[in-house]
Amino acid sequence: MASTALLALCSTGAFSGLAVEAGAGVCHATPIYGGHSWHEATFRLDVAGSTLSRYLRNLLVAAYPHLQLRALPRKAITQLKKRCCYVSLDFEGDLQNPDRHHPATFCLGKGCSVCLSSERFRCPEPIFQPSLLGQAKPGLPALVFRALQKVPATLRKRLADTVVLAGGSTLFPGFTERLEMELEAQCRRHGYAALRPCLVAKPGRGTAVWTGGSMAASLRSFQCRWITRAMYQECGSRLVHEVFN
């Protein structure tokens, strides 16, 4: 019943800005002004945490064909991704220079371990380059820029001053720096050099939506819309639509 983008903004105490969500299933760039989502300026990318976990599994299977890594539980792959992976600030350069790799060994149990090298920064890269997965869509930085480009010029700077990151997939080391770097490059490339997006990356952004929901539920303006059990039993489910629409 609530916009996750708005709740992400609420977690930082803001009601206007640009919410950039990268969770388990999908990424969104959503402009919010005065507590209302700008749907026609919202962009979606179907590459997120679950996709990256599958991609990491494929990378490991290719690197260690003699191990039965396809049988690894999804939870183990997710733990491996969270503990070892990071976003490169120079993907092509890092890929071509093995001296810039930072290998890390991860124990899979039962005496089996794997050493991740380039896989560490190759795993999150599809968020920035979906073409690595065979998708023709632009990456998240381009979608964030398009969202800013779509809003009226009079509001663009105000929203760009509060670009709030939310979701577990924004927690990769280097994610914030890479997004900021590419977003600034997009602005310069398209003639918006004066626009300097300011990213807000709180330590608890993995659960920003839940935090924002808790804060919104504590507001008096929300409490007056609470539905009691007795009200629901009397009116049924139609009451939900009457109250929240």
Side-chain angles (χ1 to χ4, degrees), residues 58-71:
N58 292 338
L59 292 174
L60 292 175
V61 168
Y64 297 93
H66 58 288
L67 298 178
Q68 299 297 317
L69 296 179
R70 288 208 180 275

Side-chain angles (χ1 to χ4, degrees), residues 7 43 130 179 214:
L7 295 183
F43 292 90
L179 181 59
S214 173

Side-chain angles (χ1 to χ4, degrees), residues 27 30 35 60 75 85 87 91 104 106 111 122 128 132 135 139 144 151 159 168 173 181 183 201 204 209 213 227 231:
C27 293
T30 310
L60 292 175
K75 186 176 181 180
C85 294
V87 172
F91 180 73
F106 188 82
R122 288 167 66 192
F128 298 88
L132 293 171
Q135 296 192 21
V144 174
V151 301
L159 299 190
M181 182 176 71
L183 195 49
V209 172
I227 299 172
M231 291 164 62

Side-chain angles (χ1 to χ4, degrees), residues 28-147:
H28 280 113
T30 310
I32 305 282
Y33 182 71
H36 297 283
S37 303
W38 217 297
H39 295 294
E40 62 272 21
T42 296
F43 292 90
R44 168 182 176 139
L45 175 65
D46 291 316
V47 175
S50 298
T51 314
L52 300 183
S53 294
R54 290 192 295 271
Y55 185 51
L56 178 58
R57 186 192 296 274
N58 292 338
L59 292 174
L60 292 175
V61 168
Y64 297 93
H66 58 288
L67 298 178
Q68 299 297 317
L69 296 179
R70 288 208 180 275
L72 269 181
R74 184 174 61 180
K75 186 176 181 180
I77 293 291
T78 300
Q79 287 179 342
L80 181 59
K81 178 186 70 175
K82 290 180 177 180
R83 292 183 188 180
C84 296
C85 294
Y86 64 93
V87 172
S88 169
L89 300 184
D90 178 15
F91 180 73
E92 295 300 331
D94 286 350
L95 199 59
Q96 295 171 14
N97 188 351
D99 292 337
R100 287 159 64 171
H101 299 177
H102 304 286
T105 301
F106 188 82
C107 181
L108 300 174
K110 298 181 181 179
C112 178
S113 62
V114 295
C115 180
L116 278 74
S117 183
S118 64
E119 295 82 10
R120 295 187 68 194
F121 61 85
R122 288 167 66 192
C123 169
E125 189 63 21
I127 284 184
F128 298 88
Q129 297 190 67
S131 58
L132 293 171
L133 300 177
Q135 296 192 21
K137 295 180 179 180
L140 187 59
L143 296 185
V144 174
F145 174 74
R146 285 185 184 180

Side-chain angles (χ1 to χ4, degrees), residues 145-161:
F145 174 74
R146 285 185 184 180
L148 284 174
Q149 204 175 25
K150 270 273 190 180
V151 301
T154 52
L155 298 176
R156 196 170 292 138
K157 184 182 183 305
R158 180 171 178 180
L159 299 190
D161 284 343

Side-chain angles (χ1 to χ4, degrees), residues 198-219:
C198 180
L199 272 59
V200 180
K202 298 280 187 178
R205 61 187 179 275
T207 54
V209 172
W210 289 98
T211 303
S214 173
M215 294 169 68
S218 68
L219 298 175

